[in-house]
């Protein structure tokens, strides 16, 4: 049971937009920055978003992040088949004094 | 180019100690950064194990704290993980990772190494 809650799977057609939610509490998302990771099959996770909505160099602006209260959302526009991957949210939990991750969301591009 | 590379045994017997090393290249491990370990059991999600600051201060996942030690070796530009009393539940791909700063996200990742706990 993960501290952060993500939907197990989402799907959309190529070219469309999808959002992935990440729900937490005041001790984690509510008072700390959220990051998002993309994990392609058989590879290490890759940072997509940090500090709620910032993109590292090289990450296209098709990927966006937002936060409201104790929930965060990853948005992906102009879906491509290469976006099929598992996506994880993460943050610091002040009560646990630990980094926590969501359980992951598998994105299928139909 | 900054890189992290995990190394260590791929097979550990139950009740023994899992030991992994993460070698850093292209960057000084003495820089003001957190250096961390994250694991992923087969087919499951990510679990943070712990992180160490360049000064040696450590932060551990409460669920693993009693069994985990993370240390840093500035002379070899590497940091290490020890996990004692392992069971089959500790079978996972182990990643070393870092934000290359003082943050709780991970921008730089190693490729990961699979450790299987089995007799």
């Amino acid at each position: 049971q993960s501290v952060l809650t993500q939907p197990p799977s989402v799907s959309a057609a190529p070219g469309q937009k999808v959002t992935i939610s990440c729900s937490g509490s005041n001790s984690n998302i509510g008072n700390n920055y959220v990051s998002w990771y993309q994990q392609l099959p058989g590879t290490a996770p890759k940072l997509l978003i940090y500090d709620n909505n910032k993109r590292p160099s090289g990450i296209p602006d098709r990927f966006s992040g937002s936060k409201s209260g104790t929930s965060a959302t990853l948005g992906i526009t102009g879906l491509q088949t290469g976006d099929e991957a598992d996506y994880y949210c993460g943050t610091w939990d002040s009560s646990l004094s630990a980094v926590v991750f969501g359980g992951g969301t598998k994105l299928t591009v139909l | 180019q900054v890189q992290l590379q995990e190394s260590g045994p791929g097979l550990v017997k139950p009740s023994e100690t899992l030991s992994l090393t993460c070698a850093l290249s292209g960057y000084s491990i003495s820089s003001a950064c957190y250096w961390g370990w994250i694991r992923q059991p087969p087919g499951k999600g990510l679990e943070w194990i712990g992180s160490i600051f360049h000064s040696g201060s450590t932060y551990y996942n409460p669920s693993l704290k009693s069994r985990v030690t993370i240390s840093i070796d500035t002379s070899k530009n590497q940091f290490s993980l020890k996990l004692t009393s392992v069971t089959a539940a500790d079978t996972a791909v182990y990643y070393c990772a870092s934000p290359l700063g003082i943050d709780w996200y991970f921008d730089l990742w190693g490729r990961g190494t699979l450790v299987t706990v089995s007799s």
Side-chain angles (χ1 to χ4, degrees):
Chain A
Q1 193 78 359
S2 301
V3 173
L4 304 180
T5 302
Q6 297 181 236
S9 64
V10 295
S11 63
Q16 297 300 302
K17 174 182 178 179
V18 72
T19 59
I20 298 172
S21 61
C22 176
S23 178
S25 67
N26 283 326
S27 66
N28 42 66
I29 292 178
N31 285 285
N32 294 287
Y33 288 120
V34 177
S35 54
W36 288 92
Y37 304 85
Q38 176 193 61
Q39 188 176 32
L40 298 170
T43 69
K46 176 183 180 182
L47 181 68
L48 288 179
I49 298 289
Y50 67 98
D51 291 357
N52 302 333
N53 55 18
K54 298 177 182 176
R55 283 177 286 106
S57 175
I59 301 300
D61 59 7
R62 299 189 300 109
F63 295 91
S64 64
S66 64
K67 189 181 94 168
S68 178
T70 59
S71 293
T73 301
L74 173 70
I76 310 173
T77 59
L79 278 172
Q80 304 172 0
T81 55
D83 295 331
E84 284 202 338
D86 293 322
Y87 292 83
Y88 295 90
C89 58
T91 187
W92 177 257
D93 190 298
S94 304
S95 293
L96 297 173
S97 292
V99 174
V100 292
F101 292 103
T105 298
K106 182 175 181 60
L107 168 63
T108 301
V109 181
L110 303 169
Chain B
Q1 184 181 4
V2 184
Q3 290 184 322
L4 293 170
Q5 179 64 58
E6 306 89 349
S7 62
L11 181 65
V12 181
K13 289 182 168 57
S15 81
E16 295 190 345
T17 296
L18 179 159
S19 297
L20 295 175
T21 296
C22 182
L24 172 65
S25 58
Y27 203 81
S28 171
I29 205 161
S30 297
S31 302
C33 295
Y34 287 126
W35 307 100
W37 289 96
I38 294 159
R39 70 180 182 178
Q40 185 172 35
K44 296 187 178 181
L46 303 173
E47 180 181 35
W48 176 73
I49 299 170
S51 297
I52 187 166
F53 195 47
H54 72 104
S55 62
S57 300
T58 51
Y59 304 83
Y60 297 137
N61 187 322
S63 68
L64 299 169
K65 188 173 183 177
S66 63
R67 299 194 292 130
V68 172
T69 301
I70 297 175
S71 59
I72 196 165
D73 187 337
T74 55
S75 67
K76 295 183 179 179
N77 216 42
Q78 64 185 33
F79 61 106
S80 300
L81 168 70
K82 289 189 186 298
L83 181 66
T84 62
S85 305
V86 297
T87 69
D90 295 310
T91 294
V93 175
Y94 286 76
Y95 296 99
C96 56
S98 173
L100 292 183
I102 309 173
D103 300 282
W104 292 115
Y105 57 81
F106 300 93
D107 195 9
L108 177 68
W109 293 72
R111 297 180 69 174
T113 186
L114 174 63
V115 179
T116 301
V117 178
S118 175
S119 55

